[in-house]
Amino acid sequence: MKNIFFKHQPDKEAAHWAATLLLSTLTLVSLSGCGADGTSADSGTTTEAPVDTTPDPSTDPDTEEPREWQAVGGAVTVTFQDDLAFLQFIPGLDLATAPTVSQGRELFVADWTAAPGSRTLLDGLGPLFIASACDDCHLVSGRAASLNDDGTTSHGILFRLGTLDGQPDTYLGGQLQTSATVGAPEGRVTWQDIGLGQPQFQLSEAEHTLDDGVQLGPRLSPQLTGVGLLELVPEAQILQWHDPDDQDQDGISGRAHSLEREGVACLGRFGWKAVQCTLRGQSAGALHQDMGLTTPLNPAEPCTDQQSICSEQPSGGDPEVSLDSLNAINDFLTLLAVYDRRIDDQTQFDRGADLFEQVGCDDCHRPTLTTGDTSAFEQLNQQTIYAYTDLLLHDMGEALSDGMKEGDASDREWKTPPLWGLGLIEGNGDSRFLHDGRAETLVEAINWHGGEAEAARQAWEALQETGQQDLLVFLRGI
C-alpha cells in the first residue's frame, strides 16, 4: 500500500519527517496536568514532609516479586517504528475494508489552500489561521517546534485569548490567529525566559490591542497517541475519582469538567483544559480555530463581528469540511495505535514503577483505564490501557496559572495529560513539556508541579539520586 505519509512536497516532507518521534508535562506530554502529585489516595496518608522512599540498595532484586504487565494499549499495542512513528495504525487493520480511515489520513496530512482552490475538497483555508495542515502541529516524527531560541514561536504552540472570568477578546476572539491568506494576521507572539525557564509571552505586530484583562493562554500541541481509546473510557469510570471538595482528605481534589456539546451533557476529556468531550468535537474545534475551516459543528467563520475579512474572502463551501470528511478524520485518529513499552532493565523499570506510586504520581496519573464498547470499531472494546491519566482537572498551583478561564476550568486547573509514549517525545530536539513549553526536560516538568501535586513534588525531591533515576527510567519506558 502506498505510504501517503510522505506525499508532501520535498521541502515540507524533510521538515516534518526528518526527525523521529503524537500520535501535553508529566505537561507531561505532556506532564502539565497533575503529575507527580499528592499522596496516594489508597494509602490514607497525609501530606506531611516527604521521606526518602528510595528502595534499600542492599535489597537483592532477584528476591523481589516481579510485576506483571499487560500490553500498554491492550489489543491495539504495536512496536514503535521510526518510519511510521506517531501515526501508526492498530495491528491487523485492513485498510481495504476501511476506506474512511485512509481518506481521513489523506485529509490529516494534506495542505489546505484558500478558496477558490484547484482541489475543491481541500480549499477554504483561513482567511485567518495558524497552520495549513493538521500535521503542521502534530508531526508524524515528533513534537513540532514551539519556543524558538531566537524568541519567536512556531506551530507547536498556539494562544487562547481570555480573562480570569472566561471572556474572549471582543475584537480578536478566543484564539490568536498568527497567519492570514491575505493581508496581515491578527498578530504574532514572542517570548523570553524570565527566570528558571518560565516563559513570558508578548503580543507583537498586533492587528488590535487586547482588551483589558485578556491574557495570552499558551497551549502546546500534544501527540495523539491512543486518543481513540481515551474517548471510549466510560464517564462512570472517570467519576470514580471526581472529588472536588477533597472529601477523602487526601489532598487531591480532581474534578470532571462538565460540559454541553452538540446539545448533550458530557464530560470533557480532550484539550489541556478538557474542553471537548469527543474526538470529533476536538477535531472540529482544531479545524475551525487553527485552520479557519468551517464544519457542521462550527458552521460560522472564526471571525468576530468586528472583523470583516471573513465576509470579504470567498468560502470553500458550506461547510468547508463536510460531515463525511470530519468523520473520516475522526476514524483515522480513532484507529491510531499505542506503542509498547521500551525496557532495557526490567528490574530498574519495576523499581521506578514502585516509586511512581510511592511518591504519589498515580493519584492523578492513574496507571490504567478500561474502555467501554463501540459498534464502530470492536477492536477497541474492553481494553485495559496504561495511559496514566484520570482525565480530571486539577489545581496545579499559581506558578502554572495562565491567567484565564476556559469553559469551567480556572486559570490554575489542567487536565491530567496521559503519559504513555513520554520517552519517545523527550528525545526529539523540539520537545518541550507543560502547557506553555517551559520545561525542556522531564525533570524540569516535575519540578514545576505545585498545588495538588506539591506533596508529590516534595517526595520526588526527597528521593536519592538513584531513586530519581529509577523513576525517570520508568517514565521514559511507559
Side-chain angles (χ1 to χ4, degrees):
M1 174 182 159
K2 183 175 84 166
N3 188 341
I4 65 174
F5 288 141
F6 300 93
K7 68 184 185 64
H8 291 292
Q9 296 298 320
D11 57 339
K12 183 170 184 181
E13 173 186 343
H16 281 195
W17 317 125
T20 51
L21 182 210
L22 237 210
L23 296 290
S24 127
T25 98
L26 236 285
T27 300
L28 305 187
V29 191
S30 283
L31 275 177
S32 144
C34 169
D37 37 69
T39 54
S40 172
D42 295 329
S43 67
T45 58
T46 63
T47 56
E48 297 174 354
V51 296
D52 189 346
T53 53
T54 305
D56 184 350
S58 66
T59 301
D60 182 357
D62 294 333
T63 65
E64 298 177 4
E65 187 71 21
R67 278 178 171 256
E68 294 185 6
W69 297 98
Q70 300 179 48
V72 173
V76 301
T77 307
V78 295
T79 300
F80 184 80
Q81 300 180 40
D82 287 341
D83 57 339
L84 296 176
F86 285 95
L87 298 183
Q88 188 172 348
F89 285 133
I90 67 174
L93 179 64
D94 183 0
L95 291 177
T97 64
T100 60
V101 177
S102 293
Q103 180 191 7
R105 181 167 60 177
E106 290 278 6
L107 294 169
F108 187 88
V109 301
D111 284 308
W112 293 70
T113 59
S118 59
R119 301 170 298 170
T120 57
L121 183 65
L122 297 173
D123 70 356
L125 177 72
L128 297 171
F129 66 101
I130 295 174
S132 61
C134 300
D135 66 347
D136 282 344
C137 304
H138 305 284
L139 304 188
V140 64
S141 58
R143 173 155 282 179
S146 53
L147 307 186
N148 301 321
D149 292 339
D150 62 0
T152 61
T153 57
S154 294
H155 285 142
I157 192 168
L158 58 79
F159 295 88
R160 298 272 198 262
L161 301 176
T163 63
L164 273 173
D165 59 358
Q167 297 302 309
D169 186 79
T170 54
Y171 188 93
L172 299 179
Q175 182 168 301
L176 184 72
Q177 310 300 332
T178 54
S179 298
T181 56
V182 294
E186 293 180 337
R188 307 190 191 283
V189 177
T190 59
W191 74 282
Q192 61 178 339
D193 185 341
I194 60 173
L196 301 176
Q198 182 175 358
Q200 181 180 71
F201 297 100
Q202 180 69 41
L203 179 62
S204 63
E205 304 175 38
E207 177 187 14
H208 197 275
T209 303
L210 293 177
D211 294 342
D212 290 343
V214 171
Q215 303 293 322
L216 293 168
R219 301 286 186 272
L220 204 67
S221 60
Q223 303 308 119
L224 304 178
T225 301
V227 288
L229 293 165
L230 294 175
E231 182 173 33
L232 289 180
V233 175
E235 290 190 351
Q237 190 172 156
I238 300 172
L239 290 172
Q240 291 180 30
W241 304 303
H242 175 73
D243 186 20
D245 300 319
D246 192 19
Q247 293 186 357
D248 59 7
Q249 298 184 337
D250 67 347
I252 306 299
S253 53
R255 65 185 186 90
H257 196 175
S258 298
L259 302 166
E260 182 177 313
R261 294 289 182 266
E262 299 184 60
V264 177
C266 57
L267 298 184
R269 62 184 73 197
F270 295 108
W272 283 108
K273 299 278 191 179
V275 295
Q276 294 291 346
C277 300
T278 66
L279 188 53
R280 187 174 77 159
Q282 179 72 6
S283 299
L287 290 168
H288 189 244
Q289 291 295 313
D290 303 353
M291 300 173 67
L293 296 167
T294 59
T295 69
L297 275 63
N298 298 291
E301 293 284 353
C303 282
T304 66
D305 292 340
Q306 300 185 55
Q307 294 173 306
S308 60
I309 187 173
C310 287
S311 60
E312 293 170 351
Q313 298 302 309
S315 171
D318 187 20
E320 292 163 329
V321 180
S322 69
L323 182 60
D324 286 343
S325 292
L326 180 59
N327 287 339
I329 293 173
N330 188 75
D331 289 348
F332 161 63
L333 295 174
T334 298
L335 294 179
L336 291 173
V338 174
Y339 308 105
D340 207 358
R341 299 176 187 86
R342 299 149 310 281
I343 302 174
D344 294 327
D345 184 331
Q346 186 69 58
T347 299
Q348 185 180 27
F349 180 86
D350 288 352
R351 286 201 307 267
D354 291 339
L355 287 169
F356 185 82
E357 297 172 358
Q358 290 173 28
V359 302
C361 301
D362 65 332
D363 286 340
C364 299
H365 290 283
R366 300 278 176 175
T368 61
L369 300 167
T370 302
T371 63
D373 294 318
T374 174
S375 58
F377 302 110
E378 295 183 357
Q379 306 99 311
L380 308 182
N381 291 350
Q382 296 299 315
Q383 300 299 310
T384 296
I385 59 175
Y386 290 78
Y388 297 93
T389 178
D390 57 7
L391 298 175
L392 298 178
L393 294 172
H394 293 274
D395 183 338
M396 294 299 294
E398 186 60 31
L400 291 179
S401 166
D402 67 347
M404 60 173 289
K405 182 180 181 181
E406 191 172 3
D408 192 37
S410 76
D411 58 310
R412 295 162 52 121
E413 288 184 305
W414 302 95
K415 183 205 71 182
T416 308
L419 301 182
W420 48 13
L422 199 62
L424 294 171
I425 296 167
E426 186 187 26
N428 179 265
D430 291 322
S431 290
R432 286 178 172 268
F433 303 94
L434 301 176
H435 68 281
D436 57 6
R438 69 178 64 187
E440 294 188 81
T441 67
L442 298 185
V443 171
E444 290 179 8
I446 296 171
N447 289 338
W448 275 108
H449 279 56
E452 296 174 44
E454 178 66 21
R457 183 189 61 77
Q458 292 180 8
W460 149 266
E461 291 179 345
L463 293 176
Q464 297 176 6
E465 183 178 354
T466 54
Q468 290 188 350
Q469 288 304 313
D470 289 345
L471 182 48
L472 290 172
V473 164
F474 168 73
L475 292 174
R476 289 165 177 150
I478 58 178

